[in-house]
Structure formats: C-alpha cells, structure tokens
Amino acid sequence: PRWRCPAHDYDANRPSVAERGYGATWKKRAAAFLAKHRKCEDCGAPSTDADHDPSRRELIAAGVDDPDDERWLHARCHRCHSRKTATRDGGFGRARRPA
C-alpha cells in the first residue's frame, strides 16, 4: 500500500497468497476444518482461522508431504492467530522465535 514507507515495506517481494499455497484448495480445506473445530484453541472464542503449527513454511522445509493435513492445523480466532504469527512465526516483519 502507498501508506507504507519503503523501509518498512517487507511485503514488496512476497509471493501472492496463491503462490504461497493458499489458493482455492486451501480455502476449502480450511473451511471444512473450521466447520469441525468451531472454538479457538487458545481463548475459546469462535474460530476464524485454520493455523499451521508448525508453520506451513517449516512443514514444507521438513519435507512433509501434505502440510495442510488436519494434524498440522489448529483452530484459532483471528486475534490469537495474529498474536501467534507475530510472536512465534516471524510475521509482520518480526524475527522468527522458537516455539
């Protein structure tokens, strides 16, 4: 977006959502997962996000055949998902931290 200064535009060269593996197939799988797991595992609020834990990137790097399998997913509300992404996954331009 135009409001970001160039020094903080960490998404400038980031692949698209679909290029990162979150296309139509992922959307269907995530929706099915959330239909079965309706509460956030962290706070109990309604779940909105199917979250990979370990991260999808880590699963792929480890050679996992299907990183979107339910055994790697956790139901989280958007707030808890964002908190986990920011504090553990290196999201929002932050450094990655061990679990």
Side-chain angles (χ1 to χ4, degrees):
R2 293 182 180 178
W3 50 267
R4 287 189 181 154
C5 76
H8 294 97
D9 193 8
Y10 60 89
D11 280 345
N13 297 313
R14 189 175 190 193
S16 72
V17 172
E19 290 169 335
R20 293 191 322 263
Y22 296 104
T25 301
W26 163 250
K27 288 180 183 181
K28 289 176 189 173
R29 290 181 87 173
F33 177 79
L34 293 172
K36 291 193 284 185
H37 302 88
R38 297 186 176 273
K39 298 285 183 182
C40 174
E41 294 180 20
D42 297 334
C43 73
S47 62
T48 57
D49 297 16
D51 184 28
H52 291 88
D53 197 2
S55 73
R56 190 172 200 279
R57 183 181 317 155
E58 292 169 324
L59 293 167
I60 291 169
V64 172
D65 288 333
D66 185 4
D68 298 332
D69 186 272
E70 284 193 18
R71 68 182 149 172
W72 307 114
L73 301 179
H74 297 268
R76 290 194 166 92
C77 67
H78 188 69
R79 182 178 178 159
C80 289
H81 180 255
S82 294
R83 182 182 309 116
K84 183 222 163 218
T85 298
T87 60
R88 290 191 19 218
D89 295 345
F92 310 110
R94 294 178 171 90
R96 182 177 294 279
R97 296 183 191 168

